[in-house]
Amino acid sequence: MGDKITKIENSEVGTGKPVHIIAEVGINHDGDMAKAIKLIREAKKSGADSVKLQTYITEHRVPKGHAVYEILKQCELSHTDQKELFDLGKDLGITVFSTPFDDESVDFLESIDTPVYKIASFDSVNTQLLRKVGSTGKPVIMSTGMTNIDELGEAW
């Protein structure tokens, strides 16, 4: 591993570089675009360097009838809405990126030129998703809280 500098748009991240602050919007907008826009604007005002969303197709995450299906479905933003949020970030001068949960979401994020990907901790063992994201050649931020050392070695 060692010292490495990675670029996230115009920001260098790594040893000896300033802290890069990421505002976790995730699904905190509750599927409400006005709230999502406000969260991004507030993140910019507060000095965050970037904003992270979640990109998914609910039916690919959990089956209908699952305990969290309705919550995820309510919070799922359309591709059109997400593109609008990415464009807002560009207009405001704050980087917007996302955590994809399925291959189709990676394809969409590539189509709008996301600058970086975030991998959720539970997907650190999802080799199909890791390969798909890795094939983009873009920087990856991966949570490892639910990953043991052997799994982390395989993901690396």
Side-chain angles (χ1 to χ4, degrees), residues 65-124:
H66 189 280
V68 299
Y69 178 88
E70 291 302 324
I71 294 167
L72 290 174
K73 193 65 176 173
Q74 175 186 324
C75 296
E76 182 181 336
L77 293 175
S78 71
H79 289 171
T80 301
D81 288 345
Q82 289 195 48
K83 181 176 183 332
E84 183 180 331
L85 296 176
F86 272 70
D87 290 344
L88 173 65
K90 287 181 177 122
D91 291 345
L92 295 175
I94 188 168
T95 299
V96 178
F97 66 97
S98 191
T99 299
F101 290 93
D102 52 73
D103 286 357
E104 292 86 347
S105 294
V106 175
D107 291 338
F108 163 69
L109 290 168
E110 277 300 289
S111 78
I112 61 170
D113 199 26
T114 188
V116 61
Y117 287 93
K118 163 70 171 51
I119 299 295
S121 182
F122 59 81
D123 272 331
S124 63

Side-chain angles (χ1 to χ4, degrees), residues 118-122 124 141-149 151-153 155-156:
K118 163 70 171 51
I119 299 295
S121 182
F122 59 81
S124 63
I141 299 166
M142 184 166 67
S143 292
T144 59
M146 295 177 66
T147 310
N148 68 41
I149 195 71
E151 293 167 336
L152 184 57
W156 184 257

Side-chain angles (χ1 to χ4, degrees), residues 58-59 61-67 69-70 73:
T58 302
E59 291 76 12
R61 289 188 71 185
V62 296
K64 282 188 176 180
H66 189 280
Y69 178 88
E70 291 302 324
K73 193 65 176 173

Side-chain angles (χ1 to χ4, degrees), residues 9-55:
E9 287 195 327
N10 299 320
S11 180
E12 288 187 329
V13 179
T15 305
K17 298 298 177 184
V19 172
H20 184 94
I21 299 172
I22 302 168
E24 172 66 34
V25 171
I27 60 173
N28 295 316
H29 48 71
D30 300 321
D32 179 339
M33 272 298 283
K35 189 184 282 188
I37 290 166
K38 182 175 181 180
L39 287 168
I40 292 171
R41 289 185 185 283
E42 291 298 320
K44 175 64 179 175
K45 281 184 4 187
S46 73
D49 298 293
S50 56
V51 171
K52 190 200 70 74
L53 305 172
Q54 291 185 12
T55 304

